[in-house]
Amino acid sequence: MIFATTGTQLPFPRLVRALDAWAARMPEERVVAQIGPDPGRYPHLELHATLPPDRFDALFSAARVVVAHAGIGSILAARQYDRPLILVPRRADLGEHRNDHQAATARRLGARAGLHVVWDEADLGAALASPPPPPTTGDGASLAALHAHLAGLIDGA
Amino acid sequence: MQLLMLRPSFAHHETTWLTTLRGLTPGSGDAPVRIVPDCNRDTPLRVLACLAAVTWHVLRCRPHVVITTGALPGVLALAAGRLLGARTIWVDSIANAEEMSASGRLAARFASHRLSQWPDVAEAEGATFAGSILNGSADPLQGPDHGPVRPDAGGLPEDLRPVPGTLARPNPPRAAGEPDAAGPQVPVPQDALPDPGSPR
């Protein structure tokens, strides 16, 4: 099973269309997608506008690979559930987001273990055929440092 | 969601959560959660509604500290907190990997402390870098095109270093099952009261 999510706030038809076209060629693979406010017709996908958190988590953790817009929430969930993640950044010039911060996220984080960035949706099929291995868990040092710093600010006189 | 991951830094204080999303509670423990209207720059009427709601909640709980990861509702909470003399902390989303968000820039007016989770973004914005929620986001081994800075409190200015002996962190750093994991940035203004016993 493949799980795809484009978040809940903005439609991302370029990605969902590409997924639907791929699913049409691969009828044996189930593809579930949370696509937000997108009125489009995608007959080869199991569609949800939004999913409650428990359903979302269950689908995310059961998928053999997850496809998502390059939102931080997707990256954090992929680490939490040890799932390989294919990222497709939204593009501001196509009206897919207000700015290009998803491209920045993908450039900065896309080389990490467990992630694969697809810049051109035509490459999605190849990425789904050979997804990255699951992510590796870090040592938590960076988060611990941030906690310590913030605790200092909060507790300080 | 990112703010939930920062919870261990204030878990030992009385806390009220403000969020635009229902269903936040799984990671926020027993602390009260208040829902406020979401807004952004393109929805001026909702900005006013959000400002009214946020100001109301901040006035009611009179926090000593307001901490937020954005977005615009978080800025409004910092503004309300500042008005009351609270310490106000902006932690820019890790999504803003190359430049600070517009909300983060606006927050400069109201934040007594402003952090980015990327060293070079922090430097360009006059903000502070002190680590990030993703291990190794600033690690050259994992981010080949990225800078060399390792989070190191010793490299911070004297007045921003963690205060020794006050880092009570009784709770585990991360609760499983956080809500809406793939959703866009969750705006969660957050109030922490350093001393639950003292009136304010």
Side-chain angles (χ1 to χ4, degrees), chain A residues 5-35:
Chain A
T5 172
T6 62
T8 57
Q9 293 198 337
L10 297 168
F12 193 3
R14 179 166 62 95
L15 171 57
V16 185
R17 261 197 312 271
L19 263 177
D20 189 55
W22 183 87
R25 296 196 305 273
M26 301 285 170
E28 71 278 10
E29 180 126 30
R30 180 180 173 218
V31 185
V32 185
Q34 170 184 281
I35 63 171

PDB file of all heavy atoms in Angstrom, chain A residues 5-35:
ATOM      1  N   THR A   5       0.034  12.092   1.065  1.00  0.00           N
ATOM      2  CA  THR A   5      -0.612  13.204   1.755  1.00  0.00           C
ATOM      3  C   THR A   5      -0.091  14.529   1.219  1.00  0.00           C
ATOM      4  O   THR A   5       1.112  14.710   1.029  1.00  0.00           O
ATOM      5  CB  THR A   5      -0.412  13.142   3.282  1.00  0.00           C
ATOM      6  OG1 THR A   5      -0.912  14.367   3.849  1.00  0.00           O
ATOM      7  CG2 THR A   5       1.039  12.953   3.662  1.00  0.00           C
ATOM      8  N   THR A   6      -1.025  15.424   0.960  1.00  0.00           N
ATOM      9  CA  THR A   6      -0.655  16.769   0.534  1.00  0.00           C
ATOM     10  C   THR A   6      -1.066  17.782   1.600  1.00  0.00           C
ATOM     11  O   THR A   6      -1.270  18.945   1.310  1.00  0.00           O
ATOM     12  CB  THR A   6      -1.330  17.127  -0.803  1.00  0.00           C
ATOM     13  OG1 THR A   6      -2.751  17.107  -0.625  1.00  0.00           O
ATOM     14  CG2 THR A   6      -0.954  16.124  -1.886  1.00  0.00           C
ATOM     15  N   GLY A   7      -1.192  17.307   2.844  1.00  0.00           N
ATOM     16  CA  GLY A   7      -1.625  18.207   3.908  1.00  0.00           C
ATOM     17  C   GLY A   7      -3.124  18.410   3.843  1.00  0.00           C
ATOM     18  O   GLY A   7      -3.841  17.700   3.135  1.00  0.00           O
ATOM     19  N   THR A   8      -3.600  19.387   4.621  1.00  0.00           N
ATOM     20  CA  THR A   8      -5.042  19.591   4.698  1.00  0.00           C
ATOM     21  C   THR A   8      -5.462  20.973   4.219  1.00  0.00           C
ATOM     22  O   THR A   8      -6.650  21.247   4.100  1.00  0.00           O
ATOM     23  CB  THR A   8      -5.516  19.434   6.150  1.00  0.00           C
ATOM     24  OG1 THR A   8      -4.792  20.370   6.957  1.00  0.00           O
ATOM     25  CG2 THR A   8      -5.284  18.033   6.660  1.00  0.00           C
ATOM     26  N   GLN A   9      -4.519  21.852   3.945  1.00  0.00           N
ATOM     27  CA  GLN A   9      -4.903  23.251   3.704  1.00  0.00           C
ATOM     28  C   GLN A   9      -5.008  23.640   2.243  1.00  0.00           C
ATOM     29  O   GLN A   9      -5.881  24.407   1.867  1.00  0.00           O
ATOM     30  CB  GLN A   9      -3.903  24.177   4.396  1.00  0.00           C
ATOM     31  CG  GLN A   9      -3.986  24.068   5.916  1.00  0.00           C
ATOM     32  CD  GLN A   9      -3.346  25.241   6.617  1.00  0.00           C
ATOM     33  OE1 GLN A   9      -2.491  25.921   6.048  1.00  0.00           O
ATOM     34  NE2 GLN A   9      -3.736  25.478   7.849  1.00  0.00           N
ATOM     35  N   LEU A  10      -4.100  23.141   1.420  1.00  0.00           N
ATOM     36  CA  LEU A  10      -4.047  23.575   0.021  1.00  0.00           C
ATOM     37  C   LEU A  10      -4.076  22.368  -0.904  1.00  0.00           C
ATOM     38  O   LEU A  10      -3.448  21.357  -0.616  1.00  0.00           O
ATOM     39  CB  LEU A  10      -2.748  24.366  -0.236  1.00  0.00           C
ATOM     40  CG  LEU A  10      -2.573  25.670   0.531  1.00  0.00           C
ATOM     41  CD1 LEU A  10      -1.139  26.172   0.406  1.00  0.00           C
ATOM     42  CD2 LEU A  10      -3.539  26.721   0.004  1.00  0.00           C
ATOM     43  N   PRO A  11      -4.787  22.479  -2.040  1.00  0.00           N
ATOM     44  CA  PRO A  11      -4.764  21.381  -3.005  1.00  0.00           C
ATOM     45  C   PRO A  11      -3.393  21.282  -3.678  1.00  0.00           C
ATOM     46  O   PRO A  11      -2.631  22.245  -3.702  1.00  0.00           O
ATOM     47  CB  PRO A  11      -5.839  21.785  -4.015  1.00  0.00           C
ATOM     48  CG  PRO A  11      -5.944  23.265  -3.910  1.00  0.00           C
ATOM     49  CD  PRO A  11      -5.611  23.615  -2.481  1.00  0.00           C
ATOM     50  N   PHE A  12      -3.081  20.102  -4.174  1.00  0.00           N
ATOM     51  CA  PHE A  12      -1.802  19.895  -4.865  1.00  0.00           C
ATOM     52  C   PHE A  12      -2.065  18.959  -6.052  1.00  0.00           C
ATOM     53  O   PHE A  12      -1.562  17.848  -6.104  1.00  0.00           O
ATOM     54  CB  PHE A  12      -0.783  19.300  -3.895  1.00  0.00           C
ATOM     55  CG  PHE A  12       0.641  19.325  -4.371  1.00  0.00           C
ATOM     56  CD1 PHE A  12       1.007  19.910  -5.584  1.00  0.00           C
ATOM     57  CD2 PHE A  12       1.645  18.753  -3.590  1.00  0.00           C
ATOM     58  CE1 PHE A  12       2.332  19.930  -6.002  1.00  0.00           C
ATOM     59  CE2 PHE A  12       2.974  18.760  -3.992  1.00  0.00           C
ATOM     60  CZ  PHE A  12       3.316  19.350  -5.201  1.00  0.00           C
ATOM     61  N   PRO A  13      -2.886  19.440  -7.026  1.00  0.00           N
ATOM     62  CA  PRO A  13      -3.344  18.558  -8.100  1.00  0.00           C
ATOM     63  C   PRO A  13      -2.207  18.005  -8.964  1.00  0.00           C
ATOM     64  O   PRO A  13      -2.330  16.897  -9.485  1.00  0.00           O
ATOM     65  CB  PRO A  13      -4.287  19.452  -8.919  1.00  0.00           C
ATOM     66  CG  PRO A  13      -4.020  20.846  -8.484  1.00  0.00           C
ATOM     67  CD  PRO A  13      -3.502  20.781  -7.089  1.00  0.00           C
ATOM     68  N   ARG A  14      -1.124  18.717  -9.101  1.00  0.00           N
ATOM     69  CA  ARG A  14      -0.017  18.219  -9.925  1.00  0.00           C
ATOM     70  C   ARG A  14       0.490  16.884  -9.387  1.00  0.00           C
ATOM     71  O   ARG A  14       0.711  15.925 -10.137  1.00  0.00           O
ATOM     72  CB  ARG A  14       1.121  19.259  -9.935  1.00  0.00           C
ATOM     73  CG  ARG A  14       2.342  18.854 -10.733  1.00  0.00           C
ATOM     74  CD  ARG A  14       3.235  20.054 -10.974  1.00  0.00           C
ATOM     75  NE  ARG A  14       3.759  20.636  -9.728  1.00  0.00           N
ATOM     76  CZ  ARG A  14       4.943  20.340  -9.193  1.00  0.00           C
ATOM     77  NH1 ARG A  14       5.730  19.465  -9.773  1.00  0.00           N
ATOM     78  NH2 ARG A  14       5.343  20.917  -8.065  1.00  0.00           N
ATOM     79  N   LEU A  15       0.640  16.806  -8.063  1.00  0.00           N
ATOM     80  CA  LEU A  15       1.097  15.551  -7.456  1.00  0.00           C
ATOM     81  C   LEU A  15       0.009  14.474  -7.520  1.00  0.00           C
ATOM     82  O   LEU A  15       0.287  13.319  -7.853  1.00  0.00           O
ATOM     83  CB  LEU A  15       1.520  15.805  -6.003  1.00  0.00           C
ATOM     84  CG  LEU A  15       1.809  14.566  -5.158  1.00  0.00           C
ATOM     85  CD1 LEU A  15       2.883  13.699  -5.795  1.00  0.00           C
ATOM     86  CD2 LEU A  15       2.223  14.948  -3.736  1.00  0.00           C
ATOM     87  N   VAL A  16      -1.232  14.862  -7.205  1.00  0.00           N
ATOM     88  CA  VAL A  16      -2.294  13.853  -7.144  1.00  0.00           C
ATOM     89  C   VAL A  16      -2.570  13.281  -8.539  1.00  0.00           C
ATOM     90  O   VAL A  16      -2.779  12.082  -8.696  1.00  0.00           O
ATOM     91  CB  VAL A  16      -3.579  14.453  -6.509  1.00  0.00           C
ATOM     92  CG1 VAL A  16      -4.632  13.370  -6.337  1.00  0.00           C
ATOM     93  CG2 VAL A  16      -3.254  15.089  -5.166  1.00  0.00           C
ATOM     94  N   ARG A  17      -2.526  14.139  -9.561  1.00  0.00           N
ATOM     95  CA  ARG A  17      -2.691  13.657 -10.948  1.00  0.00           C
ATOM     96  C   ARG A  17      -1.625  12.635 -11.308  1.00  0.00           C
ATOM     97  O   ARG A  17      -1.900  11.581 -11.891  1.00  0.00           O
ATOM     98  CB  ARG A  17      -2.607  14.830 -11.939  1.00  0.00           C
ATOM     99  CG  ARG A  17      -3.948  15.358 -12.408  1.00  0.00           C
ATOM    100  CD  ARG A  17      -3.792  16.208 -13.670  1.00  0.00           C
ATOM    101  NE  ARG A  17      -2.734  17.209 -13.582  1.00  0.00           N
ATOM    102  CZ  ARG A  17      -2.918  18.440 -13.110  1.00  0.00           C
ATOM    103  NH1 ARG A  17      -4.109  18.828 -12.699  1.00  0.00           N
ATOM    104  NH2 ARG A  17      -1.913  19.300 -13.055  1.00  0.00           N
ATOM    105  N   ALA A  18      -0.381  12.947 -10.953  1.00  0.00           N
ATOM    106  CA  ALA A  18       0.727  12.033 -11.269  1.00  0.00           C
ATOM    107  C   ALA A  18       0.541  10.696 -10.552  1.00  0.00           C
ATOM    108  O   ALA A  18       0.783   9.625 -11.113  1.00  0.00           O
ATOM    109  CB  ALA A  18       2.057  12.677 -10.895  1.00  0.00           C
ATOM    110  N   LEU A  19       0.081  10.775  -9.293  1.00  0.00           N
ATOM    111  CA  LEU A  19      -0.167   9.545  -8.533  1.00  0.00           C
ATOM    112  C   LEU A  19      -1.285   8.733  -9.169  1.00  0.00           C
ATOM    113  O   LEU A  19      -1.189   7.497  -9.269  1.00  0.00           O
ATOM    114  CB  LEU A  19      -0.588   9.905  -7.110  1.00  0.00           C
ATOM    115  CG  LEU A  19       0.454   9.898  -6.028  1.00  0.00           C
ATOM    116  CD1 LEU A  19      -0.189  10.365  -4.737  1.00  0.00           C
ATOM    117  CD2 LEU A  19       1.053   8.514  -5.845  1.00  0.00           C
ATOM    118  N   ASP A  20      -2.342   9.420  -9.582  1.00  0.00           N
ATOM    119  CA  ASP A  20      -3.480   8.742 -10.184  1.00  0.00           C
ATOM    120  C   ASP A  20      -3.056   8.043 -11.479  1.00  0.00           C
ATOM    121  O   ASP A  20      -3.438   6.895 -11.735  1.00  0.00           O
ATOM    122  CB  ASP A  20      -4.600   9.757 -10.451  1.00  0.00           C
ATOM    123  CG  ASP A  20      -5.894   9.082 -10.877  1.00  0.00           C
ATOM    124  OD1 ASP A  20      -6.366   8.211 -10.124  1.00  0.00           O
ATOM    125  OD2 ASP A  20      -6.407   9.415 -11.957  1.00  0.00           O
ATOM    126  N   ALA A  21      -2.246   8.728 -12.266  1.00  0.00           N
ATOM    127  CA  ALA A  21      -1.758   8.131 -13.514  1.00  0.00           C
ATOM    128  C   ALA A  21      -0.903   6.899 -13.214  1.00  0.00           C
ATOM    129  O   ALA A  21      -0.990   5.870 -13.900  1.00  0.00           O
ATOM    130  CB  ALA A  21      -0.965   9.167 -14.307  1.00  0.00           C
ATOM    131  N   TRP A  22      -0.097   6.985 -12.168  1.00  0.00           N
ATOM    132  CA  TRP A  22       0.752   5.846 -11.796  1.00  0.00           C
ATOM    133  C   TRP A  22      -0.118   4.679 -11.324  1.00  0.00           C
ATOM    134  O   TRP A  22       0.096   3.525 -11.706  1.00  0.00           O
ATOM    135  CB  TRP A  22       1.733   6.265 -10.696  1.00  0.00           C
ATOM    136  CG  TRP A  22       2.684   5.179 -10.320  1.00  0.00           C
ATOM    137  CD1 TRP A  22       3.884   4.884 -10.905  1.00  0.00           C
ATOM    138  CD2 TRP A  22       2.502   4.201  -9.272  1.00  0.00           C
ATOM    139  NE1 TRP A  22       4.460   3.805 -10.289  1.00  0.00           N
ATOM    140  CE2 TRP A  22       3.636   3.361  -9.290  1.00  0.00           C
ATOM    141  CE3 TRP A  22       1.496   3.963  -8.330  1.00  0.00           C
ATOM    142  CZ2 TRP A  22       3.800   2.301  -8.397  1.00  0.00           C
ATOM    143  CZ3 TRP A  22       1.653   2.907  -7.443  1.00  0.00           C
ATOM    144  CH2 TRP A  22       2.793   2.089  -7.488  1.00  0.00           C
ATOM    145  N   ALA A  23      -1.125   5.003 -10.489  1.00  0.00           N
ATOM    146  CA  ALA A  23      -2.007   3.962  -9.951  1.00  0.00           C
ATOM    147  C   ALA A  23      -2.787   3.275 -11.081  1.00  0.00           C
ATOM    148  O   ALA A  23      -3.093   2.086 -10.994  1.00  0.00           O
ATOM    149  CB  ALA A  23      -2.959   4.568  -8.927  1.00  0.00           C
ATOM    150  N   ALA A  24      -3.100   4.023 -12.134  1.00  0.00           N
ATOM    151  CA  ALA A  24      -3.811   3.434 -13.269  1.00  0.00           C
ATOM    152  C   ALA A  24      -2.964   2.350 -13.932  1.00  0.00           C
ATOM    153  O   ALA A  24      -3.476   1.352 -14.425  1.00  0.00           O
ATOM    154  CB  ALA A  24      -4.169   4.532 -14.277  1.00  0.00           C
ATOM    155  N   ARG A  25      -1.657   2.559 -13.931  1.00  0.00           N
ATOM    156  CA  ARG A  25      -0.757   1.572 -14.548  1.00  0.00           C
ATOM    157  C   ARG A  25      -0.444   0.418 -13.606  1.00  0.00           C
ATOM    158  O   ARG A  25       0.103  -0.597 -14.025  1.00  0.00           O
ATOM    159  CB  ARG A  25       0.562   2.263 -14.967  1.00  0.00           C
ATOM    160  CG  ARG A  25       0.393   3.313 -16.045  1.00  0.00           C
ATOM    161  CD  ARG A  25       1.738   3.671 -16.674  1.00  0.00           C
ATOM    162  NE  ARG A  25       2.752   4.088 -15.711  1.00  0.00           N
ATOM    163  CZ  ARG A  25       2.897   5.344 -15.276  1.00  0.00           C
ATOM    164  NH1 ARG A  25       2.095   6.294 -15.723  1.00  0.00           N
ATOM    165  NH2 ARG A  25       3.836   5.660 -14.424  1.00  0.00           N
ATOM    166  N   MET A  26      -0.695   0.604 -12.313  1.00  0.00           N
ATOM    167  CA  MET A  26      -0.333  -0.399 -11.299  1.00  0.00           C
ATOM    168  C   MET A  26      -1.572  -0.815 -10.514  1.00  0.00           C
ATOM    169  O   MET A  26      -1.700  -0.515  -9.322  1.00  0.00           O
ATOM    170  CB  MET A  26       0.690   0.183 -10.320  1.00  0.00           C
ATOM    171  CG  MET A  26       1.968   0.645 -10.938  1.00  0.00           C
ATOM    172  SD  MET A  26       2.987  -0.765 -11.381  1.00  0.00           S
ATOM    173  CE  MET A  26       4.269   0.025 -12.341  1.00  0.00           C
ATOM    174  N   PRO A  27      -2.519  -1.473 -11.161  1.00  0.00           N
ATOM    175  CA  PRO A  27      -3.798  -1.760 -10.488  1.00  0.00           C
ATOM    176  C   PRO A  27      -3.648  -2.682  -9.278  1.00  0.00           C
ATOM    177  O   PRO A  27      -4.533  -2.734  -8.425  1.00  0.00           O
ATOM    178  CB  PRO A  27      -4.629  -2.432 -11.596  1.00  0.00           C
ATOM    179  CG  PRO A  27      -3.642  -2.905 -12.607  1.00  0.00           C
ATOM    180  CD  PRO A  27      -2.465  -1.990 -12.540  1.00  0.00           C
ATOM    181  N   GLU A  28      -2.537  -3.397  -9.166  1.00  0.00           N
ATOM    182  CA  GLU A  28      -2.389  -4.329  -8.041  1.00  0.00           C
ATOM    183  C   GLU A  28      -1.974  -3.609  -6.761  1.00  0.00           C
ATOM    184  O   GLU A  28      -2.023  -4.185  -5.678  1.00  0.00           O
ATOM    185  CB  GLU A  28      -1.387  -5.443  -8.377  1.00  0.00           C
ATOM    186  CG  GLU A  28       0.064  -5.005  -8.448  1.00  0.00           C
ATOM    187  CD  GLU A  28       0.437  -4.370  -9.779  1.00  0.00           C
ATOM    188  OE1 GLU A  28      -0.458  -4.088 -10.608  1.00  0.00           O
ATOM    189  OE2 GLU A  28       1.622  -4.134 -10.012  1.00  0.00           O
ATOM    190  N   GLU A  29      -1.554  -2.351  -6.858  1.00  0.00           N
ATOM    191  CA  GLU A  29      -1.122  -1.643  -5.645  1.00  0.00           C
ATOM    192  C   GLU A  29      -2.188  -0.651  -5.194  1.00  0.00           C
ATOM    193  O   GLU A  29      -2.645   0.195  -5.955  1.00  0.00           O
ATOM    194  CB  GLU A  29       0.208  -0.892  -5.878  1.00  0.00           C
ATOM    195  CG  GLU A  29       0.680  -0.160  -4.636  1.00  0.00           C
ATOM    196  CD  GLU A  29       2.107  -0.521  -4.231  1.00  0.00           C
ATOM    197  OE1 GLU A  29       2.914  -0.840  -5.121  1.00  0.00           O
ATOM    198  OE2 GLU A  29       2.399  -0.480  -3.024  1.00  0.00           O
ATOM    199  N   ARG A  30      -2.558  -0.773  -3.903  1.00  0.00           N
ATOM    200  CA  ARG A  30      -3.543   0.136  -3.332  1.00  0.00           C
ATOM    201  C   ARG A  30      -2.876   1.480  -3.032  1.00  0.00           C
ATOM    202  O   ARG A  30      -1.784   1.522  -2.451  1.00  0.00           O
ATOM    203  CB  ARG A  30      -4.074  -0.498  -2.052  1.00  0.00           C
ATOM    204  CG  ARG A  30      -5.110   0.303  -1.321  1.00  0.00           C
ATOM    205  CD  ARG A  30      -5.556  -0.462  -0.062  1.00  0.00           C
ATOM    206  NE  ARG A  30      -6.440   0.358   0.748  1.00  0.00           N
ATOM    207  CZ  ARG A  30      -6.433   0.385   2.086  1.00  0.00           C
ATOM    208  NH1 ARG A  30      -5.599  -0.402   2.751  1.00  0.00           N
ATOM    209  NH2 ARG A  30      -7.256   1.157   2.743  1.00  0.00           N
ATOM    210  N   VAL A  31      -3.519   2.579  -3.450  1.00  0.00           N
ATOM    211  CA  VAL A  31      -2.978   3.907  -3.176  1.00  0.00           C
ATOM    212  C   VAL A  31      -4.039   4.731  -2.454  1.00  0.00           C
ATOM    213  O   VAL A  31      -5.111   5.000  -2.992  1.00  0.00           O
ATOM    214  CB  VAL A  31      -2.551   4.639  -4.469  1.00  0.00           C
ATOM    215  CG1 VAL A  31      -1.875   5.974  -4.124  1.00  0.00           C
ATOM    216  CG2 VAL A  31      -1.610   3.770  -5.298  1.00  0.00           C
ATOM    217  N   VAL A  32      -3.733   5.120  -1.200  1.00  0.00           N
ATOM    218  CA  VAL A  32      -4.641   5.933  -0.390  1.00  0.00           C
ATOM    219  C   VAL A  32      -4.061   7.335  -0.308  1.00  0.00           C
ATOM    220  O   VAL A  32      -2.860   7.498  -0.067  1.00  0.00           O
ATOM    221  CB  VAL A  32      -4.784   5.351   1.032  1.00  0.00           C
ATOM    222  CG1 VAL A  32      -5.819   6.140   1.832  1.00  0.00           C
ATOM    223  CG2 VAL A  32      -5.165   3.879   0.966  1.00  0.00           C
ATOM    224  N   ALA A  33      -4.913   8.340  -0.533  1.00  0.00           N
ATOM    225  CA  ALA A  33      -4.388   9.709  -0.556  1.00  0.00           C
ATOM    226  C   ALA A  33      -5.258  10.657   0.248  1.00  0.00           C
ATOM    227  O   ALA A  33      -6.479  10.671   0.111  1.00  0.00           O
ATOM    228  CB  ALA A  33      -4.282  10.196  -2.000  1.00  0.00           C
ATOM    229  N   GLN A  34      -4.603  11.462   1.094  1.00  0.00           N
ATOM    230  CA  GLN A  34      -5.270  12.589   1.755  1.00  0.00           C
ATOM    231  C   GLN A  34      -4.921  13.827   0.943  1.00  0.00           C
ATOM    232  O   GLN A  34      -3.756  14.238   0.899  1.00  0.00           O
ATOM    233  CB  GLN A  34      -4.781  12.744   3.195  1.00  0.00           C
ATOM    234  CG  GLN A  34      -5.276  14.043   3.831  1.00  0.00           C
ATOM    235  CD  GLN A  34      -4.733  14.285   5.222  1.00  0.00           C
ATOM    236  OE1 GLN A  34      -5.194  13.729   6.181  1.00  0.00           O
ATOM    237  NE2 GLN A  34      -3.712  15.133   5.303  1.00  0.00           N
ATOM    238  N   ILE A  35      -5.917  14.404   0.258  1.00  0.00           N
ATOM    239  CA  ILE A  35      -5.588  15.431  -0.737  1.00  0.00           C
ATOM    240  C   ILE A  35      -6.068  16.829  -0.381  1.00  0.00           C
ATOM    241  O   ILE A  35      -5.905  17.760  -1.172  1.00  0.00           O
ATOM    242  CB  ILE A  35      -6.136  15.038  -2.133  1.00  0.00           C
ATOM    243  CG1 ILE A  35      -7.663  14.966  -2.112  1.00  0.00           C
ATOM    244  CG2 ILE A  35      -5.536  13.698  -2.578  1.00  0.00           C
ATOM    245  CD1 ILE A  35      -8.263  14.799  -3.510  1.00  0.00           C
TER     246      ILE A  35
END
